[in-house]
Amino acid sequence: PENSSNFRMGADNFRTAAMHPRLFSTMPAKLPFLLAHPPPKTAAPRHWARLSERGVYLGLVFCAASCRLIGRAGQRAVIAPIVLYFLLTGRVQRRASRAYLTRVLGRPPSRGEVWRHFMNFGLRAVDVFLAWTGRLPSAALLTEGGVPAELADEKRGALLVVSHLGNVEVVRALAPASLRERVTVLVHTRNAANFHRIVSENAGDYAGNLIQVTEVGPETVIALSERIAAGGIVVIAGDRIPVSGAGRSVAVPFFGEKARFPEGPWVLAALLGCPVYLMHCLAEGGRYRLTIEPFAERIDLPRRGRTEALQGLAARFAARLERYCIQAPYQWYNFYDFWGAP
């Protein structure tokens, strides 16, 4: 209302139409130069959230159907050609795998080791689907040292910091319903929408209590504080920089070189004022070993030296993550340039 457009219906449409044949006719003259001067092969590493999902929905439907028909035992044969396709066509992911394995193994990996890394990721996705659809028994989850008594207390809330090592999603799927209701997970699923759609369609509880990290604001923190006060458990990943960029991250040593880790988990812990635990779930011989260890009874961030305090917390987390990566080197699934400059 009461607005006007600068677009001239006749003249501007004519100019737009005339532009296309001009560009088309001048392309043959420009083509030799463009072919002789291709763009440089080395480019800035892409943010993990901008690496789009490469799985086609119908292909995932096929995988889900095969899971229902043949279960877990025959899935390796079913997904092997699919994993091979992603390995051969995923140059960014393949380079990231080699870079990580070189650090964790202390030498350049063989092709077979890169294949094993990709294959483990495929089997992880299969187990997530099986766990959420009731085809992975609860006995497949072994808790090392038991669940800390403080965390098991339904009247006491806590923050769990996890990583993309192993398969923590299996824990949520196999947990008792009473415990699952206490858990709120901060996630970013939009770059894997098809996979999460398949799981949601086959498991009604899957999407419950999930909060997209892109939607976290002051009102979300207030809601999380209320859940913590009621004995809830908040889960957040500590090994990926924020979706919005690397601004709220710190550089700390990780396998001998500085890598950026997010500040978010530690800022959130300080705001919630609750105990913090680290959780890892590693695959071992067809089962999963769950480890929960205390990290801090409470995190306070000083006004002075705030950055240094955040770096110290992130460095402690990175050191623990490094230890678990050495135990299970083929189970860390950050397929992007983790050490690249943001």
Side-chain angles (χ1 to χ4, degrees), residues 172-341:
R172 192 166 72 96
L174 298 182
S178 58
L179 178 59
R180 193 185 307 157
E181 291 174 357
R182 295 174 57 199
V183 175
T184 302
V185 187
L186 303 182
V187 296
H188 179 74
T189 61
R190 292 172 182 172
N191 61 341
N194 285 333
F195 175 76
H196 291 278
R197 175 184 169 187
I198 286 291
V199 181
S200 297
E201 289 173 349
N202 289 272
D205 295 339
Y206 172 75
N209 293 341
L210 296 183
I211 297 178
Q212 295 291 335
V213 293
T214 52
E215 299 169 357
V216 173
E219 68 285 351
T220 311
V221 176
I222 294 173
L224 293 178
S225 298
E226 293 173 350
R227 296 189 186 187
I228 290 290
I233 298 172
V234 176
V235 181
I236 186 173
D239 62 340
R240 284 186 180 177
I241 60 175
V243 176
S244 57
R248 296 179 180 178
S249 62
V250 290
V252 298
F254 188 56
F255 283 108
E257 188 175 344
K258 289 289 185 70
R260 300 203 74 88
F261 283 78
E263 298 176 354
W266 322 116
V267 173
L268 182 62
L271 292 172
L272 297 179
C274 63
V276 181
Y277 296 84
L278 304 185
M279 185 173 77
H280 296 93
C281 186
L282 303 179
E284 289 184 354
R287 292 186 174 186
Y288 284 94
R289 177 170 56 85
L290 173 64
T291 304
I292 302 175
E293 57 184 75
F295 185 81
E297 181 63 26
R298 183 185 177 96
I299 289 179
D300 294 309
L301 296 176
R303 292 188 177 182
R304 291 187 178 182
R306 176 186 173 91
T307 301
E308 291 74 12
L310 289 169
Q311 283 180 326
L313 293 166
R316 282 179 56 200
F317 173 79
R320 298 301 296 166
L321 177 60
E322 188 174 303
R323 174 193 167 191
Y324 284 101
C325 283
I326 292 173
Q327 291 182 17
Y330 303 101
Q331 295 187 42
W332 192 56
Y333 307 122
N334 274 325
F335 290 97
Y336 68 97
D337 189 358
F338 196 81
W339 286 265

